[in-house]
Amino acid sequence: MNKEWSELNKNVQLRIKKKETFTQGIETLLVLRNQLMEQMLEFKKTLKREDFNAMPFPNAEGYHSKTIAYSLYHIFRIEDITANSLVKKGTQIFFANEYQRKMNSPIITTGNELAGREIAEFSSKLDIDGLYGYISEVDTATTDLLKGLSYSDLKTKMTEADRENLIKLKTVSEDENAVWLIDYWCGKDVSGLIRMPLSRHWIMHVEACLRIRNKVRPDLN
């Protein structure tokens, strides 16, 4: 793991635990997310369209077995679902602003159910400009959410109603490789969602994207 990102993430986890350092923890989280966002924006500036579909490690164990396009979509679908459906109890940006159409996405789910060539085919269909529009809107909405949180909000637990809502929305596939996400998220409180989908999840997938990029485009190393 990138040492700077790892250290920032460690500081986030430590600081948000305590009321007196909670605000600093959120500020640190926003610094971390900004650094990761800069890297994701760099992909758009420097990569060719076909680079987003490349799968140089198709049989690997780990997130680098995917594609960059898939990884970016996956990060922000999960964030949209957890931040807007679960924490805000509102409407996902994906639906509110018609991003299935704008991204030309054949799915509305997180993509966990896809494997192998399905991931490559899915990636090739995505409109990259639409994808980055979605990334920007979800990130902005989550930043506003994080800035508005209080320490007491962290203990707010997900409910059975939240679980039923996710099932109804069908944004998590019923496939065994995906459906577990519903129980996983709904077993957490707001603090737990911050610790994974809104922070560490970004790091894991961005680092995987960098491994893919470095293999596909060594000229950019």
Side-chain angles (χ1 to χ4, degrees), residues 36-52:
L36 290 161
M37 180 59 69
E38 287 179 0
Q39 180 58 69
M40 287 185 270
L41 292 174
E42 185 67 20
F43 294 145
K44 190 171 190 292
K45 293 177 184 177
T46 59
L47 296 180
K48 299 174 183 178
R49 177 62 188 86
E50 58 267 28
D51 296 335
F52 283 93

Side-chain angles (χ1 to χ4, degrees), residues 151-187:
Y151 179 72
S152 60
D153 291 328
L154 296 183
K155 300 301 181 185
T156 303
K157 295 182 179 180
M158 301 306 109
T159 65
E160 183 59 28
D162 291 321
R163 187 177 185 280
E164 291 173 0
N165 185 44
L166 286 189
I167 294 171
K168 182 179 178 181
L169 287 170
K170 298 186 182 299
T171 50
V172 176
S173 169
E174 295 179 358
D175 185 276
E176 64 179 359
N177 291 319
V179 71
W180 61 270
L181 284 169
I182 294 177
D183 287 335
Y184 177 71
W185 293 332
C186 292

Side-chain angles (χ1 to χ4, degrees), residues 192-211:
L193 294 178
I194 289 175
R195 291 171 191 279
M196 183 54 179
L198 307 188
S199 54
R200 187 166 176 263
H201 194 238
W202 279 40
I203 296 174
M204 295 158 64
H205 280 286
V206 172
E207 290 195 331
C209 287
L210 284 169
R211 289 189 68 176

Side-chain angles (χ1 to χ4, degrees), residues 18-157:
K18 300 178 181 179
K19 187 174 182 179
E20 58 270 26
T21 57
F22 168 75
T23 300
Q24 289 176 306
I26 294 297
E27 290 172 353
T28 304
L29 174 55
L30 294 175
V31 169
L32 170 61
R33 285 169 58 92
N34 185 60
Q35 289 189 13
L36 290 161
M37 180 59 69
E38 287 179 0
Q39 180 58 69
M40 287 185 270
L41 292 174
E42 185 67 20
F43 294 145
K44 190 171 190 292
K45 293 177 184 177
T46 59
L47 296 180
K48 299 174 183 178
R49 177 62 188 86
E50 58 267 28
D51 296 335
F52 283 93
N53 309 337
M55 292 184 71
F57 307 104
N59 300 313
E61 291 290 333
Y63 293 143
H64 59 294
S65 65
K66 319 295 185 183
T67 69
I68 293 175
Y70 169 91
S71 299
L72 297 178
Y73 170 91
H74 175 75
I75 291 169
F76 289 92
R77 274 309 284 130
I78 283 183
E79 179 153 318
D80 192 7
I81 294 166
T82 54
N84 293 306
S85 288
L86 292 179
V87 180
K88 288 185 179 180
K89 318 297 184 191
T91 303
Q92 293 172 31
I93 289 168
F94 186 86
F95 297 121
N97 295 340
E98 299 183 358
Y99 269 104
Q100 182 173 18
R101 175 182 60 79
K102 291 177 181 177
M103 287 191 284
N104 193 39
S105 175
I107 62 174
I108 67 170
T109 60
T110 65
N112 285 69
E113 69 277 13
L114 302 180
R117 295 309 305 170
E118 293 174 331
I119 291 174
E121 291 170 8
F122 164 78
S123 301
S124 68
K125 293 175 182 176
L126 286 179
D127 181 282
I128 297 301
D129 288 333
L131 174 60
Y132 271 89
Y134 182 58
I135 287 169
S136 177
E137 289 204 42
V138 173
D139 177 49
T140 297
T142 302
T143 297
D144 290 343
L145 168 64
L146 291 170
K147 287 180 176 179
L149 286 178
S150 66
Y151 179 72
S152 60
D153 291 328
L154 296 183
K155 300 301 181 185
T156 303
K157 295 182 179 180

